[in-house]
Amino acid sequence: MLEKILDGNIQIIDSVIDWKESIKIAGKPLLEKNIIMENYINAMIESIEKLGFYVILRDNLAMPHARPEEGAIGTGVSLLKLNNPVYYGDSKIQLVFVLATKDANSHLETLMQLMELFQDDESIEKLINSKDYNEILEVIKKY
């Protein structure tokens, strides 16, 4: 259940300076819960700097992540919802999902639920337009 995985890991803010800041803020709940270490956040940023914006999964949505050995202690997901988009390259992003996984397999069920959500245009639109935590929870309850 995504609702359980994201519980306490959802943030809504107006805007960020750049995509790097969006990743730092989006990763903060996982850092505070000791699911990731600080170097995981740095690894996500370095990976994008090296490989480009491969983390963009659809319009308005990015899912930064890094390899488990780069600082993932546990498995978890956080969501940063931006009221004003930030640019990842040429793409406007308002939903930043950070995925952390401690190994190669423990995240597969979560990933399947996320992909189901990411393919649902109506749910993505509702997330982008949501104004508070409860509205976001309503959308992700289905997954």
Side-chain angles (χ1 to χ4, degrees), residues 65-91:
H65 55 281
R67 299 184 58 75
E69 63 272 16
E70 294 179 304
I73 302 164
T75 298
V77 178
S78 61
L79 167 60
L80 173 63
K81 190 271 186 183
L82 297 165
N83 292 328
N84 298 297
V86 63
Y87 279 91
Y88 276 50
D90 295 332
S91 301

Side-chain angles (χ1 to χ4, degrees), residues 4-118:
K4 197 172 177 182
I5 294 161
L6 280 162
D7 188 35
N9 297 343
I10 299 169
Q11 303 172 85
I12 302 170
I13 63 172
D14 273 337
S15 59
V16 292
I17 296 167
D18 60 15
W19 65 269
K20 292 178 189 179
E21 186 185 29
S22 76
I23 292 173
K24 290 174 186 173
I25 293 170
K28 200 171 183 181
L30 301 179
L31 190 61
E32 290 170 353
K33 290 182 175 181
N34 292 317
I35 293 171
I36 61 171
M37 295 185 290
E38 186 76 40
N39 56 317
Y40 191 84
I41 291 172
N42 297 331
M44 288 187 286
I45 292 169
E46 287 168 16
S47 184
I48 291 170
E49 288 175 334
K50 203 181 299 177
L51 302 172
F53 294 101
Y54 68 95
V55 299
I56 300 168
L57 301 185
R58 62 169 292 150
D59 287 347
N60 280 308
L61 190 147
M63 191 168 72
H65 55 281
R67 299 184 58 75
E69 63 272 16
E70 294 179 304
I73 302 164
T75 298
V77 178
S78 61
L79 167 60
L80 173 63
K81 190 271 186 183
L82 297 165
N83 292 328
N84 298 297
V86 63
Y87 279 91
Y88 276 50
D90 295 332
S91 301
K92 287 182 184 178
I93 299 294
Q94 284 183 268
L95 303 172
V96 181
F97 285 84
V98 169
L99 173 67
T101 179
K102 63 182 176 190
D103 58 39
N105 299 317
S106 60
H107 67 296
L108 296 178
E109 188 177 331
T110 301
L111 198 54
M112 285 173 33
Q113 292 167 343
L114 285 168
M115 290 304 128
E116 208 177 303
L117 168 62
F118 297 168

